[in-house]
Amino acid sequence: MTAVRRGGIVALALVLSACSGGVVPRPAGPSTIVAAPVIKPVAATPITPAPAAAAPATATAAKAGLLAGPPLPSLPINEAQAARALAAFRTSCNTLQRRTDASGLTRGDDWQPACSAAAGVGSGGARGFFAQWFETVQVGDGKAFATGYYEPEIAGSRNRRPGYDVPIYGRPTDLVDVDLSQFSADLKGKKIRGRVDGSNFVPYFDRTAIEQGALAQRAPIIAWAADPVELFFLQIQGSGRLKLPDGSVMRIGYESQNGRDYTGIGALMKQRGLLGPGQTSMQGIVAWLRSHPEEGAAIMRENKSYVFFREQQTPPLGALGLPVTAGVSVAADPRFVPLGAPAFLSMDRADATGLWVAQDTGGAIRGSNRFDTFWGAGDDAEARAGGMSARGTAFLLLPVGTLARLAAERASGGAPVNP
């Protein structure tokens, strides 16, 4: 469920774009989504971070300033929570040991002792496992912000039929991914997407152009949705379920994106005073879009980003290609959190506080201490994810000795120091 998904993107039917281009009202027919109430959060008191400067947005964790966090046994982690995190961590181990860590914090072999030990942890030993094999690290000022995402279910059809007119596109045949590191070492880790126009490489069509028919003969339509507003929020999440007319379910997941920058429409609406108190949740945004169709369409077109899907046979997958787990998996910026690593979030909401495992990324999830918590599927997940906005303190869990090694490398002028 690669989190370019969380981006305020809407896909309108081509036939609708020839008309008003607006957001249609909720249909009376096959639509299945009913806005769930936002769950009232249970307040919690976050741990106060150690005084430090905020990490520069363009830095990596290794360059942002690191501080030792509190001892793991002092954190409020119970055995059940630790056991769930341990199960997710085990699935991440193969990737952790072979993936290049963009944060600059760890090397593959740093994870080998903990991963080997994780395989043999028995019942009741999860909390002790984390306490033995990990140390906590504060990145920058440690001030964390967490949102939420979930796996929605909307009305859809494999074939176009009355009441199902909104195309769900697969990856366009002319969409090109470019790894810029092949052209310059200074561009390591930088990638762009676009298309070839004659002898030029140009940006790919933005959302407005796509709505106006730019993908004709360029992209497969893998299914049809009943309602563009429902598809809008499925695209924000990045994967979901289509409830088909015969009652069966088709799962779709993120395949690619057009390479255009993401603009969150919720932030735009808030800045413009369109959302009143209590309306800044996903549910509040849905209500506003439906009651202001023309204005809503114009706002959504300000987000040029557009997501393409594929059918998938498995539960939702994160950026590591592994299943994400409700209440355990979290999306993070890989420049600041090693993908697959655990993190402890101490937040002002009890449901966001706890031990999470970074198994996903997101177009809107950028910077140090920025997280997006995954809540699964169903009404409760929708309600919790849609209203999630938590602030507090984040601590990464890294293999014991990581801080000492990084400090030694800085002291030696950046040369790698063997443990």
Side-chain angles (χ1 to χ4, degrees):
M1 190 177 304
T2 313
V4 177
R5 58 197 182 344
R6 299 177 276 282
I9 308 145
V10 68
L12 296 180
L14 300 180
V15 293
L16 290 176
S17 69
C19 302
S20 67
V23 179
V24 298
R26 181 181 296 279
S31 176
T32 58
I33 285 186
V34 176
V38 176
I39 292 177
K40 185 176 181 179
V42 176
T45 302
I47 297 171
T48 302
T58 56
T60 63
K63 298 177 180 179
L66 305 173
L67 295 171
L72 259 166
S74 70
L75 298 178
I77 303 171
N78 61 40
E79 180 61 25
Q81 185 182 77
R84 293 192 296 270
L86 173 58
F89 174 73
R90 282 176 177 145
T91 67
S92 299
C93 270
N94 284 339
T95 302
L96 273 168
Q97 295 179 80
R98 56 183 170 80
R99 183 183 178 93
T100 300
D101 179 4
S103 75
L105 295 176
T106 64
R107 305 171 298 194
D109 56 4
D110 291 341
W111 296 96
Q112 192 277 326
C115 285
S116 294
V121 177
S123 177
R127 192 172 186 277
F129 162 78
F130 285 109
Q132 178 178 354
W133 294 100
F134 292 89
E135 60 190 14
T136 65
V137 176
Q138 177 182 313
V139 178
D141 62 9
K143 295 179 179 178
F145 176 55
T147 48
Y149 69 105
Y150 73 110
E151 184 186 17
E153 182 175 288
I154 71 171
S157 173
R158 291 184 178 273
N159 304 303
R160 189 173 189 177
R161 60 173 68 194
Y164 298 86
D165 295 314
V166 187
I168 301 174
Y169 289 109
R171 181 188 173 100
T173 56
D174 60 342
L175 178 65
V176 178
D177 297 335
V178 178
D179 181 355
L180 295 178
S181 67
Q182 298 182 48
F183 299 88
S184 171
D186 293 338
L187 297 175
K188 183 178 180 180
K190 303 285 187 180
K191 296 181 180 181
I192 59 173
R193 293 188 179 101
R195 62 187 178 90
V196 176
D197 183 9
S199 60
N200 297 316
F201 185 72
V202 299
Y204 204 74
F205 301 109
D206 65 13
R207 187 159 63 87
T208 298
I210 291 172
E211 290 174 6
Q212 293 175 344
L215 293 189
Q217 310 303 316
R218 296 176 185 268
I221 297 175
I222 65 170
W224 298 83
D227 178 9
V229 174
E230 292 184 353
L231 180 58
F232 163 65
F233 282 97
L234 188 148
Q235 287 185 312
I236 291 173
Q237 306 307 316
S239 71
R241 310 175 188 189
L242 303 182
K243 187 66 173 293
L244 304 180
D246 64 0
S248 62
V249 171
M250 173 184 176
R251 265 199 161 108
I252 61 173
Y254 173 90
E255 174 66 15
S256 191
Q257 185 258 3
N258 65 346
R260 298 293 189 129
D261 289 341
Y262 151 81
T263 298
I265 66 166
L268 289 180
M269 295 167 71
K270 185 175 181 181
Q271 290 167 6
R272 296 171 188 176
L274 301 177
L275 301 174
Q279 291 184 304
T280 55
S281 68
M282 181 185 69
Q283 290 82 359
I285 294 172
V286 168
W288 194 95
L289 293 175
R290 293 196 180 284
S291 61
H292 301 82
E294 292 185 4
E295 297 96 325
I299 288 174
M300 289 187 287
R301 283 190 170 186
E302 294 188 50
N303 178 17
K304 299 178 185 297
S305 180
Y306 198 96
V307 168
F308 308 110
F309 291 101
R310 59 179 168 80
E311 182 173 5
Q312 64 183 40
Q313 307 300 325
T314 64
L317 304 177
L320 297 178
L322 302 170
V324 288
T325 305
V328 177
S329 297
V330 68
D333 187 336
R335 297 173 304 162
F336 292 94
V337 181
L339 285 185
F344 183 80
L345 303 185
S346 179
M347 312 300 284
D348 58 6
R349 287 181 57 139
D351 52 0
T353 295
L355 192 56
W356 299 83
V357 179
Q359 296 181 306
D360 209 351
T361 60
I365 312 305
R366 291 287 183 262
S368 63
N369 307 306
R370 174 70 172 95
F371 298 91
D372 206 17
T373 54
F374 178 61
W375 295 100
D379 291 345
D380 181 80
E382 178 187 351
R384 201 172 294 279
M388 178 57 64
S389 179
R391 296 185 182 276
T393 306
F395 301 104
L396 302 187
L397 270 63
L398 300 178
V400 170
T402 300
L403 266 179
R405 175 179 59 78
L406 291 171
E409 288 179 1
R410 285 193 295 271
S412 64
V417 174
N418 294 321

